[in-house]
Amino acid sequence: MKLDRYDLKILEILANDGRITKSKLAEAINLSVSPCWERVRRLEKAGIIDGYSARINASVLVKRTPVWVQVELKAHNAESFQRFEALVHATPEVTECVAVGGGVDYLLKVEAESIDAYQRLIDAWLVSEVGIERYFTYIVTKTVKQQAPPIQLDSR
């Protein structure tokens, strides 16, 4: 599906404000409401717009301590990666996890009730058969920037 400047502008606006009205969105991209909304529906049907959600400030509801963790596994084979990733999926305190190259295997964001709760979680992982060789903990002292990634025009 080829996207033009109107489509990209729609995506940029919706990424920052999913609750914008049809008329405000149309005004922002300089189209009338009907053609603008047809474009939105086309982007939804193509799977480019995957859904709409609210960013919930969970710390207002429940106090959480964010911790970033680097994890290196003992073995580097498919079974070890699958076992660790299954553990991550089964652990609700892990809110983000990416596999990376460059000396460590995974970066995780863990949001625990406290540093003590985080450490108890890691201790349980270490005595399990998940195969962690070593880990490094980074306590978050403040969030400097958090936003959705920018939508940019493909120059091809």
Side-chain angles (χ1 to χ4, degrees):
M1 177 177 180
K2 196 127 173 116
L3 302 179
D4 64 16
R5 64 185 176 96
Y6 292 109
D7 296 324
L8 293 170
K9 191 66 178 169
I10 287 169
L11 294 173
E12 178 184 354
I13 291 168
L14 289 176
N16 290 311
D17 183 5
R19 293 184 58 171
I20 192 169
T21 65
K22 293 177 186 179
S23 58
K24 291 281 188 191
L25 179 60
E27 181 182 319
I29 66 166
N30 205 20
L31 282 179
S32 62
V33 174
S34 292
C36 175
W37 205 242
E38 287 174 25
R39 287 173 176 271
V40 170
R41 292 285 180 225
R42 185 173 47 88
L43 293 166
E44 290 172 344
K45 284 183 181 179
I48 295 170
I49 296 176
D50 195 26
Y52 300 87
S53 63
R55 288 186 305 270
I56 307 299
N57 185 351
S59 65
V60 171
L61 301 171
V62 179
K63 186 66 180 152
R64 296 283 182 210
T65 301
V67 178
W68 285 92
V69 187
Q70 291 180 327
V71 173
E72 182 182 331
L73 300 181
K74 292 176 185 173
H76 295 93
N77 55 51
E79 183 182 323
S80 295
F81 294 136
Q82 289 169 353
R83 186 172 46 247
F84 181 76
E85 290 173 18
L87 176 68
V88 165
H89 282 287
T91 307
E93 293 88 351
V94 178
T95 58
E96 292 182 51
C97 177
V98 294
V100 295
V104 297
D105 298 313
Y106 294 94
L107 294 176
L108 295 86
K109 184 176 185 184
V110 178
E111 298 194 44
E113 293 177 15
S114 64
I115 297 300
D116 180 62
Y118 160 75
Q119 191 59 55
R120 283 186 275 123
L121 174 76
I122 291 294
D123 290 345
W125 285 9
L126 292 172
V127 298
S128 73
E129 297 297 317
V130 76
I132 294 175
E133 174 71 23
R134 76 183 97 227
Y135 71 98
F136 298 93
T137 300
Y138 302 94
I139 308 299
V140 175
T141 57
K142 71 178 178 178
T143 299
V144 177
K145 182 177 181 179
Q146 185 174 18
Q147 72 179 47
I151 306 296
Q152 296 183 1
L153 180 59
D154 187 0
S155 59
R156 287 182 265 164

